[in-house]
Amino acid sequence: MSTDISKWLQDIVDIKGVTGVFVVSNRGQIVAHAGVKIETGKIGRIADRILRIEGAFRRKGQSLKEIDIIASNYRIIGMMREYFTIFTLCNSTDALPLIRITLNVTIAHLLEDKKFNKFITKSGTSKTQIINRAVFNKDETKLISKLQR
Amino acid sequence: MALVGNLRDLKLANLIQLNCMEKNTAKLTIEHAGKYGIIYFHGGQIVHAEYDPDIGDNAVYRLLTLEEGNFKVEGGVRSPALTVESSWSNILLEGLHQIDHRKSAEDGINQHLLEMLMNIKGVERAAVISANGSAITSNFTDPDGFVLGAWTVMEINQLISEAQLGTKDFITVVSDKNRLLLREYNDQIMYIELADKIQIDTILPFIQKAFVTV
């Protein structure tokens, strides 16, 4: 990844309370990250579950923009765009407005970066495909079958 | 040969009735969410029951509240203890009465919580839904929205378990259609739709307060 992208992500990690930031493709691969190193598989699993949620919303003609998981001691902010999702891990949300502004700026930069866009569209897959290809357990199958295409 | 099945298909009350009327000596084991409950039958009566931490009548009452769980009935297995002395019909009546009572108490709590939430500026609509996306307490219908809410909670729970994160309080979902706040409580999901302009982080403390108050 370009040094610009590393710098943009580092700007987010430099904010108080942010421990890590990851840009993940629609295939669940980490394409760029900054901050705390997390086992690739772990972020992949987080991305996979979020992509399944996105896929279900897409099936009903809705487009997801953001999902946050809020707990007393952590927060995960997932911001979605057509070919990537940017996950931000926080252990405190004292500077949340600043985190959001910086994230929006970073996303705007990423969307304008031609090299990044070429790479991410090539390595991605359509969000509607994700849910069609996924393997579900019994409870998931029962629930997802209620969302007829 | 053991009889196996799921409480979704055969209710525990019917299983008890069947074993007692047939005067079976048997052991009934129920597995629900990784926990095991046991009921022993002898000579047409329930003689012993365990469902951690309860033993005896209370264990049966709690087992009767389960709506699903795998069960196995093994014929000819004798009970190691005698902890139930009430007749099976009395136990069933009391158990079903307790379920009704609990359900109406829960309905009251849900209704009260919904009223509190609807009084918060920025909350557009709120409903209590089940894990399978059905409305439990709601004054509006949005079947697809409820299923998407339940789906989101199910996937996030799997994510938390797989990534070994701590327990969550809320999930917020922003789509091009609406802004949702989801929270699990008492094995149910609170589904809250927020107004377009409202900042989720501004409204969150008020919503948290409503849950604490109830």
Side-chain angles (χ1 to χ4, degrees):
Chain A
M1 270 308 113
S2 76
T3 47
D4 279 347
I5 294 178
S6 303
K7 189 197 161 295
W8 298 330
L9 298 187
Q10 191 58 45
D11 285 346
I12 301 169
V13 172
D14 287 343
I15 302 169
K16 189 187 164 208
V18 177
T19 55
V21 59
F22 301 81
V23 179
V24 180
S25 75
N26 285 354
R27 289 189 194 277
Q29 291 162 324
I30 301 170
V31 292
H33 84 275
V36 66
K37 277 187 184 166
I38 290 191
E39 178 203 330
T40 312
K42 203 169 179 174
I43 282 292
R45 285 191 290 275
I46 292 176
D48 184 51
R49 293 290 170 190
I50 298 291
L51 288 167
R52 282 170 179 232
I53 296 170
E54 278 197 86
F57 275 78
R58 287 280 171 126
R59 185 174 273 195
K60 295 316 297 180
Q62 292 184 47
S63 179
L64 267 196
K65 291 178 178 172
E66 186 179 329
I67 283 193
D68 286 14
I69 304 169
I70 304 168
S72 56
N73 58 344
Y74 71 90
R75 183 159 179 155
I76 299 177
I77 303 167
M79 287 189 167
M80 293 83 184
R81 290 301 177 267
E82 191 59 35
Y83 288 99
F84 67 92
T85 300
I86 182 161
F87 290 103
T88 307
L89 315 183
C90 311
N91 57 18
S92 139
T93 50
D94 294 345
L96 200 59
L98 182 60
I99 295 171
R100 286 195 185 287
I101 292 167
T102 315
L103 269 169
N104 286 330
V105 171
T106 303
I107 288 171
H109 283 319
L110 288 172
L111 290 171
E112 281 168 12
D113 189 296
K114 282 183 185 163
K115 248 182 162 178
F116 172 79
N117 273 288
K118 199 175 169 189
F119 172 78
I120 203 78
T121 46
K122 263 188 179 176
S123 63
T125 178
S126 128
K127 287 190 174 172
T128 38
Q129 290 294 317
I130 293 157
I131 206 89
N132 299 337
R133 289 179 188 165
V135 178
F136 300 121
N137 66 30
K138 212 164 69 181
D139 291 335
E140 288 171 326
T141 306
K142 213 170 144 188
L143 199 50
I144 201 72
S145 66
K146 293 184 180 178
L147 292 174
Q148 293 303 322
R149 270 169 276 176
Chain B
M1 202 175 129
L3 169 70
V4 293
N6 194 292
L7 295 181
R8 271 195 306 260
D9 309 314
L10 186 56
K11 299 275 171 246
L12 178 58
N14 294 336
L15 268 174
I16 291 174
Q17 205 168 3
L18 188 76
N19 279 285
C20 291
M21 290 179 80
E22 294 285 326
K23 299 198 184 304
N24 288 344
T25 293
K27 177 188 178 185
L28 164 63
T29 308
I30 296 162
E31 186 268 322
H32 174 77
K35 278 180 76 177
Y36 288 86
I38 302 167
I39 297 177
Y40 284 93
F41 302 94
H42 184 75
Q45 291 297 335
I46 299 170
V47 287
H48 175 53
E50 292 176 26
Y51 191 44
D52 190 37
D54 293 313
I55 291 177
D57 297 19
N58 284 336
V60 185
Y61 299 150
R62 278 188 49 232
L63 286 167
L64 279 166
T65 65
L66 300 181
E67 288 182 356
E68 62 176 351
N70 295 318
F71 69 78
K72 182 165 81 173
V73 182
E74 297 164 277
V77 181
R78 286 180 174 272
S79 172
L82 179 65
T83 57
V84 176
E85 291 186 350
S86 315
S87 74
W88 69 268
S89 52
N90 280 349
I91 287 184
L92 274 192
L93 282 174
E94 175 57 22
L96 297 176
H97 170 74
Q98 286 190 15
I99 289 170
D100 279 350
H101 187 71
R102 197 180 133 210
K103 199 175 175 316
S104 64
E106 271 177 10
D107 285 347
I109 292 169
N110 286 347
Q111 203 58 52
H112 182 48
L113 184 53
L114 286 181
E115 280 165 20
M116 287 182 78
L117 290 170
M118 290 306 295
N119 281 329
I120 298 171
K121 194 182 169 197
V123 172
E124 297 257 289
R125 307 197 285 187
V128 181
I129 62 171
S130 68
N132 63 21
S134 312
I136 295 174
T137 311
S138 173
N139 53 12
F140 70 100
T141 54
D142 182 359
D144 283 345
F146 293 164
V147 172
L148 285 172
W151 175 259
T152 302
V153 170
M154 185 184 279
E155 291 300 311
I156 295 289
N157 284 344
Q158 303 253 31
L159 176 162
I160 286 171
S161 154
E162 288 165 0
Q164 295 166 321
L165 300 168
T167 52
K168 65 175 186 317
D169 294 329
F170 288 95
I171 301 166
T172 66
V173 180
V174 180
S175 77
D176 54 357
K177 187 191 166 201
N178 56 20
R179 296 146 67 82
L180 290 180
L181 202 87
L182 302 163
R183 186 192 157 118
E184 279 183 285
Y185 86 110
N186 295 345
D187 297 329
Q188 307 169 116
I189 299 163
M190 183 56 78
Y191 176 100
I192 306 165
E193 275 186 21
L194 303 175
D196 270 353
K197 296 273 166 66
I198 201 82
Q199 287 287 328
I200 288 173
D201 294 295
T202 310
I203 203 172
L204 203 55
F206 299 100
I207 291 173
Q208 268 168 328
K209 198 177 165 193
F211 278 95
V212 171
T213 309
V214 168

